[in-house]
Amino acid sequence: MLSSQVLQNVIEGLSCITRKNIRVVERDGRPLIGEHQEEDGFDPAKAAEAFVYSLAETQMLQGYQYFKVFDSGIAEYVVILKGDDEDTYQVGRMVAFHIQSLLVAYKERFDRDNFIKNLLMDNLLLVDIYNRAKKLQIDNNIRRVVYLIELSMDKDMAALEVVRNIFPAKQKDFVTAVDEQNIVLVKELREKDKIDEIERHAHTISDTLAGEAMSRGRVAIGTVVTDLKHVSASYKEAKMALEVGKIFEADKNVISYETLGIGRLVYQLPLSICRMYLNEVLQGSSIDNFDDETLTTVNKFFENHLNVSETSRQLYIHRNTLVYRLDKLQKMTGLDLRNFEDAIIFKITLMVSKYLMHKERYT
């Protein structure tokens, strides 16, 4: 449906160009746009209500010209201009045609949005996908990827339009809102577009939302698909990437399904297995029992690939202090992080613990 704000902007622009007071009323005579007032007891808006049910498409009455705007054969709006000259008539016809063209364009976009939403949610039979795509002139065998954008606040039209306008030259990209905080972009790719280019688009989306919509957006990327029927799979992968990113890569604004690494495996573990694993490794203890200093030391040690000298330098502590902390951890867990195998076990332990806490918090 054509929003009143869009219609208002269009009419204000046309009024400025033509220097005419263009009035628009709904089919029931309710004033919508322009200055509406009675003159000598005559109300142009009320007269428009009667005009809607006449057979004429245009009409002159009490010095006003009326023009119907049709939507699927039904008069939805009436354009009113004062004046009986030819110039006023031409302006009225032009305005009515322009609004009607907007209605058609917005209805087509609405139909496409519905198709994409149903496609993402697996609400279409295979035969319906191809038949509806053909009617909507959407190509099937095109490389596409799904971006799932989670906003830091409830969505608004500003964020949605910002995402739509990032790639204005591409008419085959689809942007739709799936709920209050999530926007989906189904983007067409060129044959030469690789993962670097795909991630660059994601960073562009995140940066633009922060700059123009004042909203921090986390962008998750599914895998590239070449058939419309697989778009929903890319969307599900993007959803998983977004969730896994919240748990293991909370500091990143862009996360790709193809680079989730071991987080993808941990995320699919049953909670009972997670609890059993933590109990086995930590011997009944919990990650919560480790102080922030110990956890900071461990994370920095992992970041520096188990390099004691580099880790102590970045933490601004003496090498012996770092060794003392690692020895203390070994006494608590039986794991020596200077040993590669033990380091892997403890790294997985941290990830499983994060995953378990996240699940217990939101279930």
Side-chain angles (χ1 to χ4, degrees):
M1 186 66 181
L2 184 60
S3 72
S4 58
Q5 185 60 52
V6 170
L7 190 55
Q8 173 106 23
N9 292 339
V10 169
I11 297 304
E12 286 179 356
L14 291 173
S15 295
C16 183
I17 293 170
T18 60
R19 298 181 182 178
K20 299 277 189 182
N21 177 23
I22 303 171
R23 314 178 197 190
V24 179
V25 300
E26 298 188 48
R27 61 179 289 107
D28 59 2
R30 285 184 297 176
L32 193 63
I33 297 168
E35 298 178 6
H36 297 269
Q37 57 187 9
E38 292 187 19
E39 294 185 13
D40 299 326
F42 176 73
D43 187 342
K46 286 185 178 178
E49 183 180 2
F51 167 62
V52 165
Y53 295 100
S54 70
L55 296 178
E57 292 187 14
T58 64
Q59 182 175 321
M60 170 72 72
L61 187 62
Q62 296 283 339
Y64 289 90
Q65 297 196 47
Y66 294 78
F67 306 84
K68 289 180 182 176
V69 178
F70 294 93
D71 182 15
S72 300
I74 299 174
E76 289 292 338
Y77 302 106
V78 175
V79 176
I80 307 172
L81 285 93
K82 186 176 183 180
D84 57 3
D85 56 283
E86 182 65 21
D87 285 346
T88 302
Y89 176 78
Q90 293 297 337
V91 170
R93 291 292 300 270
M94 177 191 69
V95 173
F97 177 78
H98 196 79
I99 297 175
Q100 197 159 311
S101 297
L102 281 174
L103 287 171
V104 172
Y106 267 73
K107 180 175 286 188
E108 181 178 303
R109 190 166 86 175
F110 178 76
D111 289 343
R112 287 186 168 214
D113 279 355
N114 272 346
F115 172 69
I116 293 300
K117 283 180 181 178
N118 285 317
L119 187 63
L120 294 172
M121 303 301 174
D122 277 333
N123 290 338
L124 296 171
L125 297 174
L126 190 60
V127 65
D128 292 333
I129 292 175
Y130 300 128
N131 287 341
R132 292 188 62 183
K134 186 176 181 180
K135 289 179 181 178
L136 294 170
Q137 298 182 337
I138 299 174
D139 293 332
N140 176 38
N141 297 317
I142 298 291
R143 294 181 75 234
R144 293 183 174 93
V145 68
V146 172
Y147 295 88
L148 178 59
I149 304 139
E150 183 186 66
L151 305 175
S152 57
M153 60 187 76
D154 285 354
K155 75 172 180 67
D156 54 31
M157 290 305 296
L160 197 61
E161 289 305 317
V162 165
V163 177
R164 282 196 173 115
N165 293 331
I166 291 175
F167 311 102
K170 297 295 293 178
Q171 298 301 319
K172 296 182 180 180
D173 298 333
F174 304 100
V175 179
T176 187
V178 291
D179 55 41
E180 289 303 311
Q181 280 192 298
N182 292 281
I183 297 172
V184 171
L185 164 65
V186 181
K187 182 159 185 21
E188 180 178 313
L189 301 174
R190 299 169 298 181
E191 286 299 323
K192 64 179 182 179
D193 286 344
K194 303 302 179 186
I195 187 63
D196 290 346
E197 184 70 11
I198 293 171
E199 290 186 354
R200 187 181 69 79
H201 290 320
H203 284 288
T204 299
I205 294 168
S206 178
D207 294 344
T208 306
L209 281 173
E212 296 187 20
M214 306 300 289
S215 175
R216 180 179 183 269
R218 292 173 60 87
V219 184
I221 311 169
T223 57
V224 176
V225 297
T226 57
D227 194 301
L228 277 172
K229 67 182 180 183
H230 295 140
V231 166
S232 62
S234 184
Y235 170 62
K236 291 171 185 174
E237 291 163 352
K239 282 182 68 176
M240 177 184 282
L242 186 64
E243 192 69 17
V244 172
K246 288 180 186 177
I247 302 171
F248 304 118
E249 303 284 355
D251 58 327
K252 288 187 177 181
N253 287 340
V254 173
I255 187 78
S256 173
Y257 179 81
E258 292 189 346
T259 58
L260 291 179
I262 199 171
R264 184 192 294 109
L265 298 177
V266 173
Y267 183 77
Q268 298 179 76
L269 290 174
L271 299 187
S272 58
I273 297 297
C274 292
R275 294 189 184 97
M276 187 182 301
Y277 176 81
L278 291 176
N279 187 60
E280 177 186 337
V281 174
L282 300 178
Q283 301 172 11
S285 184
S286 168
I287 291 295
D288 292 336
N289 295 335
F290 295 93
D291 56 58
D292 291 340
E293 181 183 77
T294 300
L295 293 176
T296 299
T297 300
V298 169
N299 287 326
K300 186 61 70 174
F301 192 51
F302 287 147
E303 285 178 19
N304 289 290
H305 310 292
L306 314 185
N307 187 309
V308 174
S309 298
E310 184 60 24
T311 302
S312 59
R313 186 186 70 80
Q314 291 188 19
L315 290 174
Y316 302 102
I317 60 176
H318 194 277
R319 177 188 176 94
N320 290 343
T321 303
L322 176 58
V323 171
Y324 167 77
R325 293 179 184 177
L326 295 175
D327 288 341
K328 178 183 174 182
L329 184 66
Q330 184 177 3
K331 289 179 182 178
M332 295 175 67
T333 63
L335 298 172
D336 182 1
L337 300 196
R338 288 157 292 193
N339 177 283
F340 182 71
E341 185 175 342
D342 286 355
I344 290 177
I345 293 173
F346 196 73
K347 176 68 174 177
I348 295 174
T349 300
L350 288 175
M351 295 183 72
V352 170
S353 180
K354 276 186 178 182
Y355 168 65
L356 188 60
M357 286 189 291
H358 176 83
K359 282 294 185 180
E360 290 177 343
R361 185 182 303 127
Y362 293 102
T363 57

